[in-house]
Amino acid sequence: MKTTIAMIRKELIDAARDKRSVMAGLYYAIGAPLMMCAMFMLLIGQITSPEALNITITHDERAPDLVKYLASNEISQGDEADRKAIELVISEDYAVNMAKGMPAELTLIADNSNEKLQSSIRRLEKNLQRYSAEMGSLRLIARGIDPKVVQPLKVSLQDQATSDSKGGMILGVAIFMMVYAVFISGMNLAIDTSAGERERNSLALLLSHPVSSRDIVLAKIAAVTIFAMIGLVLTLVISKIAYGFVPWQELGFSVNINGDFIALMLAIGLPIALMAAALQLFVSFMAKSFKEAQSYLTIVLIVPMMLSMAASYNIAPETLQWLPISGQMQALIAYIKGQAFPSLQLAISSVTTLAIALALTMGMERSLKSEKIVFGL
């Protein structure tokens, strides 16, 4: 035990000497929550206070009431320089057809394949549909017909979601960023302490000491895990502070990162950090150079990213709820939404996570006895 602790201390001291590498691993943990908050604030601002939409309305004199209605919803001609590439053409017989109670033709000209225009097109279409519905109701009233006659069904939705459960939908995306921070925060150290040490010829020197390969592997896993957990702690602390400045109440819900959630996240994040450290070290030892290890890990990290996204957006099949990362994320999302906590699912996915970490650790211990791995042959 003393030997392992001494080896862990050695790994941490070596890692701390390269401050740039340490900070590069923690930039994500610090920057990701801040960028998420900025994105949420921008999104909420656009939803609650949409900016004015300037379009081209051809022959606007033919439909003054329609133009006034659109202007009341911040859709107007505006300055020519600020107009988007959307044109609304009012037909010549518009006023005549409206007076006769017949359909009046409008032509919407826009490039629907342009992603920048799609939201503006949908916004204009919705306002035109609302105006059409209002005109239809007025026509029925003018003919002595109650507009309710053409509404045979009246569907009432009783939303049982609480403010916390609604906030859980947003926090599910934030959990994805938190879990991913575990993989990013320790990645640089994992590459440096494996492929990096081999390039510096210090790995062979380390193995020449009276220290077992098991102690070396355990020390490296522990060091990378510590950095991964530091990244997770930073992400949680910054998220708790930064999310308090986001005006969630404007959307009718709240996002609370309380002490219980932080404790649960740390407890669930520890097995994931152990697996992430073992996986990154195993892949780095298999690579023949530092750059090759970086390339391999970039590809390998796609797997946990896909599992995290599948759990965050609720597109994962039931079989994934028992697997590492996706199972733990689903348990976290269920907790913040106030749903029944899946204890069995969390236990099985956590045990599976630790089993994978153990298997990778044993594989590394065996690989360090091979000259091809130690000298990168």
Side-chain angles (χ1 to χ4, degrees):
M1 194 64 185
K2 290 182 180 180
T3 304
T4 304
I5 293 174
M7 289 296 300
I8 295 173
R9 188 183 299 112
K10 172 259 178 192
E11 295 291 341
L12 293 175
I13 292 174
D14 288 346
R17 287 173 180 167
D18 191 355
K19 293 181 175 59
R20 290 186 178 181
S21 179
V22 172
M23 290 307 301
L26 298 179
Y27 279 153
Y28 176 89
I30 299 172
L34 298 177
M35 289 189 291
M36 288 286 291
C37 288
M39 182 187 69
F40 286 137
M41 293 178 72
L42 180 62
L43 181 62
I44 292 173
Q46 291 181 347
I47 293 175
T48 56
S49 301
E51 61 180 8
L53 175 59
N54 295 327
I55 64 172
T56 301
I57 304 178
T58 305
H59 303 303
D60 55 343
E61 71 281 355
R62 296 174 181 173
D65 291 338
L66 174 61
V67 173
K68 289 180 181 178
Y69 177 83
L70 293 176
S72 65
N73 290 279
E74 299 294 330
I75 302 176
S76 60
Q77 291 264 21
D79 297 332
E80 186 175 356
D82 297 332
R83 293 178 190 172
K84 294 192 175 183
I86 301 174
E87 183 179 2
L88 181 64
V89 181
I90 301 173
S91 62
E92 186 177 356
D93 56 354
Y94 178 90
V96 175
N97 288 335
M98 288 294 285
K100 292 180 179 179
M102 297 176 62
E105 184 179 356
L106 297 172
T107 304
L108 178 58
I109 303 174
D111 183 3
N112 202 28
S113 64
N114 190 339
E115 296 180 356
K116 295 181 179 179
L117 294 179
Q118 287 179 358
S119 60
S120 298
I121 295 171
R122 301 289 90 79
R123 179 180 170 186
L124 177 58
E125 287 178 338
K126 288 180 180 179
N127 280 277
L128 291 175
Q129 289 171 1
R130 283 198 292 265
Y131 182 79
S132 177
E134 289 184 11
M135 292 300 102
S137 298
L138 291 175
R139 286 179 178 182
L140 292 173
I141 293 173
R143 289 163 176 76
I145 302 174
D146 191 344
K148 295 179 181 178
V149 174
V150 296
Q151 298 176 352
L153 295 178
K154 182 180 179 181
V155 181
S156 299
L157 176 62
Q158 295 183 357
D159 191 0
Q160 296 181 342
T162 63
S163 59
D164 289 337
S165 63
K166 290 179 181 178
M169 298 172 62
I170 298 295
L171 199 53
V173 182
I175 291 175
F176 161 71
M177 305 296 290
M178 295 173 186
V179 171
Y180 203 60
V182 173
F183 288 87
I184 297 297
S185 300
M187 184 174 67
N188 285 345
L189 175 58
I191 298 174
D192 185 70
T193 194
S194 52
E197 280 194 355
R198 182 171 52 204
E199 286 190 353
R200 295 190 298 268
N201 295 321
S202 58
L203 181 60
L205 180 62
L206 181 63
L207 288 168
S208 66
H209 286 75
V211 182
S212 65
S213 57
R214 177 176 298 178
D215 290 335
I216 294 174
V217 169
L218 292 177
K220 291 182 181 297
I221 290 177
V224 176
T225 301
I226 290 172
F227 270 77
M229 292 302 293
I230 290 174
L232 179 58
V233 170
L234 282 175
T235 303
L236 288 169
V237 171
I238 294 174
S239 297
K240 180 175 177 59
I241 297 172
Y243 282 14
F245 294 96
V246 180
W248 305 110
Q249 64 278 2
E250 295 188 13
L251 296 180
F253 59 80
S254 60
V255 174
N256 297 318
I257 301 180
N258 52 32
D260 292 338
F261 172 78
I262 293 176
L264 180 63
M265 186 72 212
L266 291 175
I268 292 177
L270 182 57
I272 297 177
L274 287 169
M275 184 191 70
L279 176 63
Q280 291 168 347
L281 286 168
F282 183 83
V283 173
S284 298
F285 274 124
M286 293 298 107
K288 293 184 179 181
S289 66
F290 191 96
K291 291 184 177 180
E292 188 176 333
Q294 287 180 320
S295 302
Y296 287 166
L297 283 181
T298 302
I299 299 173
V300 169
L301 289 182
I302 295 177
V303 177
M305 179 186 293
M306 292 176 62
L307 291 173
S308 300
M309 292 180 66
S312 297
Y313 297 104
N314 199 23
I315 58 176
E318 292 185 0
T319 53
L320 290 183
Q321 67 182 353
W322 310 105
L323 296 182
I325 302 174
S326 59
Q328 286 129 323
M329 283 196 60
Q330 286 184 352
L332 283 167
I333 293 173
Y335 173 79
I336 60 177
K337 287 185 176 181
Q339 300 173 354
F341 189 73
S343 302
L344 180 61
Q345 172 185 333
L346 177 60
I348 292 177
S349 59
S350 298
V351 169
T352 305
T353 302
L354 292 174
I356 294 174
L358 180 61
L360 292 171
T361 301
M362 295 174 64
M364 276 187 289
E365 181 184 353
R366 183 175 298 179
S367 67
L368 287 182
K369 298 177 181 179
S370 170
E371 293 181 357
K372 291 183 177 181
I373 300 299
V374 175
F375 296 102
L377 302 177

